[in-house]
């Protein structure tokens, strides 16, 4: 048997198993996993002894090239997917936004164009619905057939994204009929808006009031259910940062203005435990970068004008490995599950992605579990002028990253090609 590439002697970690062995790649697929695969005729042999070989990370919540709050998120599909790849993420699910009066098709086409020539790794889309007439209701079924199998609805941002209960109910019913999945931004937007207006009237305009006007009760009310099957994500910022970050001097707190907001520090451990115990299934990033200069500054005198979002696409795997595995909260297998396998299953990418198996896409990361780095804006690859995680030490770093059999990152360098990433038609979800 001949291989294009053999990754030798790595510790192959999936959500289920750990074994030391070789992974053979032909074309864009994994073609063999075993002990001592023949390497005589292999196109390329990579030694991975002492390293983990894991499935490429899947980030199911990113906002690249997204217009918001009078500006546009700072990473496009090129810089965003490159930064993602440096961090070991090889598939993104971004959001195609349907603006009021548009068809869902227009939203999908617009975002496909943004990604097409730029993405260096694979991508898919959720569709954000803001307007659901009978034509768009029919389109939901069509999009599901074309591989856009999940829809994002907002219970917050009145006047922009927020939907009324009737629309939410119609969307959920239609999704149920065609096996689509609804992703919900769950905060009581109406109540929050009243609190925000009151704060502004009292002259409370600093960045931290963004968090203080969005109380946990507004989230609790929006997430309560009757024990129905629901899954939940968290993001590294909620595991590493807290309300204290928003007390930074001057306007610095604006760097941490995103939604849902940061909470008191004690929430962090609860969230880690949620991941350990599977109350939370997925770690995504909600990557939505705005530069501090000129973008975040739009809200210098009024926190409601600060573009909401933070940059996080690059360090998800390292941060979760550091706090989860080195922090002795869960196993390397659970790490793989929350950053890759569970997202793949929920969003219809499994087993093509999210695992290492014969026939799966060769989206692979050779990960050094013991290398240490300090996160900094000086070394990151995101196109944004600050890091939310500045100064945080990580232990566990991606070294070589493959997207469908092609190296994208090697020896700390980007070696991929813009436009090489492909749109992935997703299946409907399966139970995690
Ligand atoms: Zn988001």
């Amino acid at each position: 048997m001949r291989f294009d590439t053999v990754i030798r002697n790595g510790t192959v970690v999936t959500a289920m198993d750990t074994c030391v062995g070789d992974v053979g790649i032909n074309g864009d697929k994994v073609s063999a996993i075993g002990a001592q695969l023949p390497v005589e005729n292999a196109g390329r042999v990579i030694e991975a002894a002492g390293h983990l070989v894991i499935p490429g990370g899947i980030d199911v919540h990113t906002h690249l090239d997204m217009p918001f709050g009078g500006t546009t998120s700072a990473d496009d599909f090129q810089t965003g997917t490159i930064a993602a790849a440096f961090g070991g993420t090889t598939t993104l699910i971004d959001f195609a936004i349907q603006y009021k009066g548009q068809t869902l098709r227009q939203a999908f086409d617009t975002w496909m164009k943004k990604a097409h020539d730029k993405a260096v790794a694979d991508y898919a889309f959720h569709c954000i619905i803001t307007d659901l007439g009978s034509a768009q209701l029919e389109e939901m079924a069509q999009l599901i057939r074309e591989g856009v199998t999940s829809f994002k609805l907002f219970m917050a941002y009145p006047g922009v994204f927020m939907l009324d209960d009737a629309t939410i109910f119609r969307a959920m019913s239609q999704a149920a009929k065609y096996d689509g999945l609804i992703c919900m931004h769950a905060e009581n937007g109406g109540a929050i808006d009243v609190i925000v207006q009151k704060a502004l009237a009292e002259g409370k305009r600093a960045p931290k009031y963004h968090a203080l006007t969005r109380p946990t009760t507004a989230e609790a009310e929006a997430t309560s259910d009757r024990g129905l099957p629901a899954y939940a994500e968290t993001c590294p910022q909620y595991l590493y940062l807290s309300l204290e970050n928003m007390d930074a001097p001057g306007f610095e707190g604006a760097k941490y203005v995103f939604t849902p907001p940061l909470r008191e520090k004690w929430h962090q451990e609860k969230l880690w435990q949620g991941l350990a115990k599977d109350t939370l299934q997925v770690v995504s990033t909600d990557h939505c970068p705005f530069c501090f200069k000129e973008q975040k500054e739009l809200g210098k005198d009024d926190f409601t004008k600060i573009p909401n979002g933070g940059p996080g696409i690059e360090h998800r795997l390292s941060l979760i490995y550091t706090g989860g595995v080195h922090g002795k909260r869960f196993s390397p297998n659970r790490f793989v599950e929350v950053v890759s396998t569970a997202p793949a299953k929920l969003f219809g990418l499994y087993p093509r992605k999210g695992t290492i198996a014969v026939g799966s896409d060769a989206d692979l990361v050779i990960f050094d579990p013991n290398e240490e780095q300090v996160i900094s804006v000086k070394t990151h690859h995101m196109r944004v002028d600050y890091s939310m995680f500045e100064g945080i030490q990580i232990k566990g770093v991606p070294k070589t990253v493959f997207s469908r059999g092609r190296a994208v990152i090697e020896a700390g360098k980007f070696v991929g090609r813009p436009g090489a990433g492909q749109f992935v038609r997703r299946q409907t979800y399966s139970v995690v």
Side-chain angles (χ1 to χ4, degrees):
M1 191 163 189
R2 189 205 168 270
F3 299 103
D4 293 341
T5 305
V6 176
I7 301 170
R8 280 180 96 187
N9 299 319
T11 302
V12 180
V13 181
T14 66
M16 295 297 291
D17 298 300
T18 304
C19 67
V20 174
D22 305 343
V23 178
I25 302 170
N26 278 319
D28 55 7
K29 302 284 186 194
V30 171
S31 53
I33 302 166
Q36 290 162 348
L37 295 179
V39 295
E40 301 75 43
N41 302 315
R44 190 172 174 206
V45 180
I46 301 174
E47 272 300 330
H51 289 49
L52 309 184
V53 181
I54 58 175
I58 300 176
D59 190 342
V60 298
H61 190 159
T62 67
H63 300 278
L64 300 175
D65 199 358
M66 185 186 86
F68 187 76
T71 184
T72 300
S73 60
D75 274 313
D76 63 15
F77 277 82
Q78 184 167 326
T79 61
T81 54
I82 290 173
F86 269 106
T89 291
T90 52
T91 307
L92 306 177
I93 310 183
D94 206 90
F95 293 84
I97 305 175
Q98 175 226 16
Y99 295 103
K100 288 196 193 335
Q102 286 188 332
T103 62
L104 302 187
R105 164 74 45 196
Q106 282 171 306
F108 181 39
D109 289 349
T110 303
W111 258 264
M112 285 290 274
K113 273 201 203 90
K114 287 174 190 264
H116 184 262
D117 297 333
K118 292 191 169 165
V120 308
D122 292 351
Y123 54 92
F125 295 106
H126 315 280
C127 184
I128 292 178
I129 294 174
T130 63
D131 187 3
L132 194 60
S134 54
Q136 289 99 337
L137 207 57
E138 284 309 310
E139 282 191 289
M140 283 179 71
Q142 288 166 24
L143 281 191
I144 289 170
R145 282 194 292 274
E146 291 178 44
V148 178
T149 55
S150 48
F151 302 88
K152 174 84 180 257
L153 311 180
F154 284 84
M155 298 166 82
Y157 298 116
V160 186
F161 293 130
M162 192 167 110
L163 300 176
D164 60 25
D165 284 357
T167 307
I168 290 172
F169 186 60
R170 279 210 310 278
M172 290 179 108
S173 304
Q174 189 76 341
K177 192 167 157 193
Y178 293 97
D179 281 339
L181 190 67
I182 295 290
C183 308
M184 189 67 82
H185 179 104
E187 283 186 303
N188 186 324
I192 287 168
D193 202 38
V194 173
I195 302 168
V196 166
Q197 296 312 325
K198 184 166 175 283
L200 287 177
E202 291 166 358
K204 296 171 174 165
R205 290 175 170 262
K208 72 173 175 188
Y209 290 105
H210 169 78
L212 298 177
T213 54
R214 311 183 84 88
T216 51
T217 44
E219 254 186 281
E221 187 272 337
T223 52
S224 65
D225 69 62
R226 295 176 289 124
L228 297 171
Y231 303 98
E233 64 179 336
T234 188
C235 308
Q237 54 270 36
Y238 305 114
L239 297 162
Y240 278 86
L241 308 176
S242 75
L243 207 45
E244 291 169 26
N245 293 88
M246 303 197 75
D247 285 324
F251 185 60
E252 298 275 308
K255 294 175 176 175
Y256 310 97
V257 167
F258 41 75
T259 310
L262 291 172
R263 305 295 187 194
E264 291 90 345
K265 215 168 186 148
W266 62 265
H267 285 246
Q268 293 171 0
E269 192 53 37
K270 296 281 183 196
L271 292 170
W272 281 113
Q273 291 313 314
L275 285 171
K277 294 183 179 130
D278 202 37
T279 318
L280 298 168
Q281 286 72 33
V282 167
V283 179
S284 58
T285 63
D286 200 0
H287 177 74
C288 190
F290 294 104
C291 287
F292 185 68
K293 286 271 161 226
E294 291 180 9
Q295 293 195 298
K296 290 287 186 181
E297 281 176 354
L298 291 169
K300 222 154 72 189
D301 307 311
D302 177 350
F303 71 89
T304 65
K305 306 242 159 53
I306 301 170
N308 277 213
I313 205 167
E314 188 166 347
H315 298 107
R316 183 177 62 118
L317 269 61
S318 291
L319 287 165
I320 300 309
Y321 196 86
T322 301
V325 180
H326 287 301
K328 301 203 182 327
R329 294 179 175 103
F330 46 75
S331 68
N333 308 90
R334 179 62 180 161
F335 158 73
V336 169
E337 187 163 36
V338 300
V339 300
S340 180
T341 313
K345 286 183 177 174
L346 271 176
F347 291 101
L349 296 163
Y350 187 86
R352 177 173 166 191
K353 297 183 184 293
T355 193
I356 301 176
V358 173
S360 293
D361 281 358
D363 293 352
L364 299 166
V365 178
I366 302 176
F367 190 87
D368 183 344
N370 293 313
E371 180 169 328
E372 298 187 23
Q373 284 180 8
V374 175
I375 296 178
S376 174
V377 63
K378 295 192 192 92
T379 47
H380 76 199
H381 301 87
M382 299 176 285
R383 193 164 63 186
V384 62
D385 62 0
Y386 74 96
S387 172
M388 289 195 286
F389 304 111
E390 187 71 38
I392 289 179
Q393 178 141 9
I394 46 175
K395 187 174 180 184
V397 174
K399 304 300 289 181
T400 304
V401 179
F402 288 89
S403 165
R404 278 181 290 101
R406 296 166 294 109
V408 190
I409 303 297
E410 237 178 299
K413 292 230 157 35
F414 170 65
V415 295
R417 180 175 61 79
Q422 289 179 357
F423 171 69
V424 189
R425 287 171 77 113
R426 294 184 288 125
Q427 309 291 310
T428 53
Y429 82 104
S430 48
V431 171
V432 174

